Amino acid sequence: MGWFKRLKEGIQTATRNKKEAPEGLWYKCKECKETSTMKELRENFFKCPHCGHHVRIGSHDYFDLIFDGDQYEELFTDLRSKDILGFKDLKPYPERLQEAMKKSGLTDAIAVARGKVNKKNLVIAAMDFNFIGGSMGSVVGQKIAMAIDYCLDTRSPLLIISKTGGARMMESAFSLMQMAKTSAKLTQLAKARIPYFSLLTDPTTGGVTASFAMLGDINFSEPAALIGFAGPRVIKETIKKDLPEGFQTSEFLLEHGFLDFITDRKDLRETLSDLLNLYDL
Amino acid sequence: MVFLEFEKPLEKLYEQLDKIKQVGEEGIVDVTEMMRELETKIRNTRKDIYSNLTGWQKVQLSRHPERPYTLYYISQMCKKFIELHGDRCVKDDKAIVGGLASFEGQTVVIIGHQKGINTKMRQYRNFGMANPEGYRKALRLMKLAERFNFPVITLIDTPGAYPGLEAEERGQAEAIARNLFEMAQLRVPIVCVVIGEGASGGAIGIGLGDRVYMLENTWYSVISPESCSSILWHSWDYKEQAAEALKLTADHMFEFGLIDGIIKEPVGGAHAAPEEMAKLLKKQIKKALTELQEMEPDERIEARINKYANMGVYDTEPSDVPKKEK
């Protein structure tokens, strides 16, 4: 028995009287449901100040976190996806692209930048999940290929930060071939003995995991990220059993031998700096 | 005989033919003329049907239960074949077979997805869906080929890499990625042919090569039409539209420059005349190997990497400067 009884069902407040918090001021954690201010979140490396949950962030947030004095130069910014197939599902692909650009302010699901980490050169290619699910199409593949060429020319090490649902369906086999393209290009980096670090963040699945994300000289990840080939829903439907707790998390992959280590986001910059020093670059 | 849905007109004609045959056997009426007419009609109908196949119909053909699979082609194309098993780590994956073979007077390593020929065997072969062990076995055999300078032939026919629990535990993604990485630098020629289904990572996991061909009635795509329908249309019912939208046929793939050629199938599909199909396949592989073996390994690897580096279509002169909406 409750102490109070609801007399009228539903929400009674008129929409015009609704009290809305300005967007971008508060953050409610998906994990612990606690609220914090955006300022607190930002100061805490975009980790929930209450439970440490690593919030999904974009390419430029990573650039700010990693490069010295937030200083970096973005490269290859004039590449745009093209609707080669005339792909239309519920929406035409060009429309999806336009929407994604407007929503995210980005041009595609990856951004490449060069800068310094404790005075050492580094090229970072970071994926953006809020651009069509961070999906890999021709532009993502080409930017990675160009980043690799740039690293070969300047002999700078490469960090790729993956955050993706996999290959982009709207470019069909072109997307699929980006797996071969990026992997083949990475062999050139390996032959030139230029280190490639792969950071897998939440989520990294599908064709990206099955190509460049797993091919780092060092593969590492943020805590509790979803990492896998097939998505958990597909696996569950296939085997018709519930998946064990912690399946396909960073910790699971570390345990099974597919990651070198897991790093907290607050230590990310330091870890990279240590690696660059140890590689004596 | 198994008839696919779009082959229904043929099924009727075959039924008529059977009836006429029966009448003929009774010996009262002379049916030779009628039979000849009907056979011509069957030939023409088949030609009609097969010259206008849609994407989805080709997907169905690629899955035809009577379609020849890897081991059949090996037995037809190679004089001697010794199957080699196991990845030397976990186990032997039955969905990918491979071994040493004698092909046109030279030793090759031949690898392919293998589907089962009946219900029991289909399960045994896991419907051609490999686990990481399959990809690692394939890599082990390719490395063996490299050591002894044997060319590599791969035959692709899979509905996808197996999305299972153990597959994830043992690194399905890593296994496929590793193959792509190693195949890019393999010092011997690699010729790949899609002989049935070419679904996504599971297909390309043994599909990076100097020459990639597709049989006429096969498909190659980033996702199966069924899964694409379920994700983009939120329903399983749009597989035909998805098959069209994905532009997954051999013709499209060749037009896009993503494969090096198409191998024609006999009228009625590979299963209608498997021996003839094997001959056509062998001819194309032989031709490709001859060309590739004239190149130096370094030259071949460079051309291979350049070929893949050039795949992708995009604009480089943007008219937009996107601004985030408030």
Side-chain angles (χ1 to χ4, degrees):
Chain A
M1 265 294 273
W3 283 19
F4 300 100
K5 199 176 170 198
R6 184 167 206 148
L7 295 173
K8 290 175 186 167
E9 283 297 312
I11 298 163
Q12 301 302 314
T13 319
T15 314
R16 66 189 142 81
N17 296 331
K18 203 166 111 187
K19 289 193 179 71
E20 258 185 78
E23 217 173 297
L25 200 59
W26 294 95
Y27 165 74
K28 189 180 176 192
C29 180
K30 275 181 196 148
E31 284 297 311
C32 68
K33 315 283 181 218
E34 291 283 342
T35 314
S36 46
T37 65
M38 279 307 279
K39 191 167 169 276
E40 284 173 323
L41 188 70
R42 200 177 296 269
E43 279 165 3
N44 198 37
F45 304 90
F46 297 98
K47 284 162 45 190
C48 170
H50 303 278
C51 71
H53 168 67
H54 285 56
V55 177
R56 281 180 191 172
I57 55 175
S59 53
H60 290 262
D61 299 324
Y62 277 108
F63 296 156
D64 289 342
L65 282 174
I66 295 170
F67 286 127
D68 290 352
D70 314 344
Q71 289 207 334
Y72 59 85
E73 186 199 345
E74 198 182 336
L75 304 169
F76 326 125
T77 52
D78 53 0
L79 264 61
R80 298 291 179 278
S81 289
K82 201 172 165 180
D83 181 27
I84 330 136
L85 308 181
F87 195 97
K88 187 172 179 288
D89 47 277
L90 295 175
K91 253 182 234 166
Y93 180 39
E95 209 172 289
R96 273 186 199 273
L97 285 170
Q98 285 305 321
E99 274 175 25
M101 281 192 192
K102 265 190 191 162
K103 197 185 87 189
S104 64
L106 300 159
T107 59
D108 214 288
I110 198 165
V112 182
R114 72 183 172 104
K116 289 186 190 291
V117 182
N118 275 337
K119 299 186 190 116
K120 306 249 181 203
N121 285 329
L122 182 68
V123 172
I124 305 180
M127 302 186 80
D128 281 287
F129 192 74
N130 59 2
F131 195 100
I132 319 187
S135 55
M136 169 167 67
S138 296
V139 167
V140 171
Q142 178 64 11
K143 278 202 183 182
I144 287 176
M146 288 167 89
I148 290 168
D149 284 336
Y150 183 87
C151 289
L152 286 167
D153 285 346
T154 56
R155 291 206 66 83
S156 38
L158 175 68
L159 168 70
I160 302 183
I161 303 176
S162 299
K163 191 181 280 292
T164 173
R168 190 174 295 168
M169 273 177 276
M170 300 81 171
E171 291 183 32
S172 193
F174 282 96
S175 301
L176 182 64
M177 294 305 155
Q178 303 312 307
M179 292 172 66
K181 174 170 171 170
T182 53
S183 306
K185 287 298 289 182
L186 281 173
T187 65
Q188 295 181 324
L189 217 52
K191 269 197 140 179
R193 298 184 194 284
I194 294 170
Y196 160 44
F197 309 123
S198 173
L199 172 62
L200 298 88
T201 69
D202 184 63
T204 300
T205 59
V208 169
T209 322
S211 58
F212 60 84
M214 273 292 162
L215 293 173
D217 293 305
I218 291 182
N219 294 336
F220 63 121
S221 149
E222 293 180 340
L226 170 74
I227 303 167
F229 176 63
R233 195 175 52 90
V234 177
I235 299 170
K236 209 174 147 179
E237 277 170 18
T238 308
I239 63 170
K240 299 187 172 63
K241 266 188 243 165
D242 280 335
L243 302 173
E245 185 90 11
F247 182 63
Q248 291 185 312
T249 58
S250 319
E251 294 72 17
F252 176 91
L253 266 89
L254 182 71
E255 198 52 40
H256 284 90
F258 294 99
L259 291 177
D260 289 288
F261 54 84
I262 295 172
T263 180
D264 192 287
R265 201 178 278 158
K266 84 169 158 40
D267 305 322
L268 179 55
R269 191 178 130 83
E270 212 44 49
T271 306
L272 284 165
S273 171
D274 287 346
L275 281 173
L276 294 174
N277 280 325
L278 288 167
Y279 270 88
D280 200 20
L281 291 156
Chain B
M1 250 192 271
V2 181
F3 291 96
L4 298 172
E5 222 173 85
F6 60 89
E7 290 178 312
K8 287 286 176 226
L10 277 180
E11 189 172 15
K12 276 196 189 129
L13 291 175
Y14 270 104
E15 272 167 20
Q16 281 178 27
L17 190 69
D18 278 348
K19 272 182 204 152
I20 292 173
K21 258 188 205 159
Q22 268 177 22
V23 175
E25 273 158 20
E26 283 164 18
I28 304 160
V29 198
D30 182 21
V31 291
T32 32
E33 189 58 29
M34 283 168 77
M35 275 179 66
R36 200 175 299 134
E37 264 175 40
L38 207 54
E39 273 162 1
T40 322
K41 208 172 169 191
I42 286 176
R43 246 195 321 276
N44 290 338
T45 314
R46 178 172 278 145
K47 233 184 203 162
D48 273 358
I49 294 176
Y50 274 80
S51 54
N52 291 306
L53 292 177
T54 66
W56 175 245
Q57 286 168 344
K58 287 195 176 178
V59 171
Q60 287 174 294
L61 262 180
S62 77
R63 297 171 178 164
H64 197 289
E66 286 164 358
R67 212 175 155 83
Y69 302 134
T70 293
L71 285 173
Y72 174 80
Y73 286 122
I74 293 177
S75 72
Q76 291 290 310
M77 296 192 303
C78 304
K79 271 224 177 87
K80 186 89 200 158
F81 175 62
I82 299 179
E83 190 178 345
L84 304 173
H85 296 272
D87 69 340
R88 299 292 187 269
C89 291
V90 177
K91 63 175 172 189
D92 182 49
D93 194 321
K94 312 294 184 214
I96 287 184
V97 295
L100 287 166
S102 159
F103 178 89
E104 289 287 304
Q106 67 171 326
T107 306
V108 299
V109 161
I110 185 160
I111 299 163
H113 297 102
Q114 179 65 34
K115 291 180 177 174
I117 48 171
N118 53 41
T119 311
K120 204 175 159 190
M121 289 304 282
R122 274 190 271 278
Q123 256 174 355
Y124 177 74
R125 297 289 183 191
N126 201 26
F127 306 92
M129 293 186 284
N131 276 284
E133 296 77 64
Y135 295 101
R136 291 183 181 130
K137 168 166 74 178
L139 181 58
R140 180 176 77 84
L141 300 184
M142 287 188 256
K143 285 291 184 186
L144 181 143
E146 186 177 47
R147 199 172 311 137
F148 297 98
N149 202 22
F150 303 144
V152 172
I153 300 165
T154 74
L155 302 178
I156 296 160
D157 187 10
T158 181
Y162 188 61
L165 194 125
E166 289 83 6
E168 293 289 323
E169 278 180 350
R170 296 195 291 263
Q172 186 74 285
E174 196 276 344
I176 292 171
R178 186 63 49 201
N179 280 14
L180 294 174
F181 190 85
E182 295 292 340
M183 289 176 92
Q185 290 283 346
L186 207 75
R187 297 191 65 76
V188 291
I190 308 173
V191 177
C192 313
V193 187
V194 182
I195 58 165
E197 298 186 87
S200 197
I204 207 166
I206 58 165
L208 192 157
D210 299 297
R211 296 282 186 277
V212 180
Y213 301 104
M214 286 173 76
L215 300 194
E216 189 185 354
N217 298 314
T218 62
W219 60 278
Y220 206 166
S221 162
V222 73
I223 190 167
S224 73
E226 286 91 341
S227 305
C228 181
S229 158
S230 119
I231 296 172
L232 291 181
W233 278 267
H234 313 293
S235 148
W236 294 99
D237 303 333
Y238 294 85
K239 49 187 191 283
E240 287 162 50
Q241 281 95 322
E244 291 308 314
L246 287 167
K247 302 246 183 337
L248 42 60
T249 64
D251 287 334
H252 283 125
M253 290 293 286
F254 185 61
E255 183 194 321
F256 295 148
L258 299 177
I259 58 165
D260 300 286
I262 301 170
I263 304 171
K264 279 268 175 203
E265 291 187 19
V267 178
H271 61 281
E275 278 179 37
E276 194 191 331
M277 186 70 255
K279 271 187 198 137
L280 293 166
L281 178 62
K282 185 178 178 177
K283 200 176 143 199
Q284 185 63 59
I285 296 175
K286 189 188 164 193
K287 189 167 162 259
L289 283 182
T290 314
E291 283 168 22
L292 292 167
Q293 283 176 318
E294 275 170 18
M295 297 167 85
E296 287 298 314
D298 286 328
E299 182 193 355
R300 206 163 41 222
I301 292 167
E302 199 190 327
R304 189 188 297 156
I305 293 177
N306 284 342
K307 178 177 90 162
Y308 284 97
N310 285 327
M311 289 183 186
V313 178
Y314 41 83
D315 281 328
T316 48
E317 284 169 9
S319 53
D320 59 276
V321 183
K323 287 241 161 58
K324 198 166 180 170
E325 265 186 356
K326 283 276 168 188

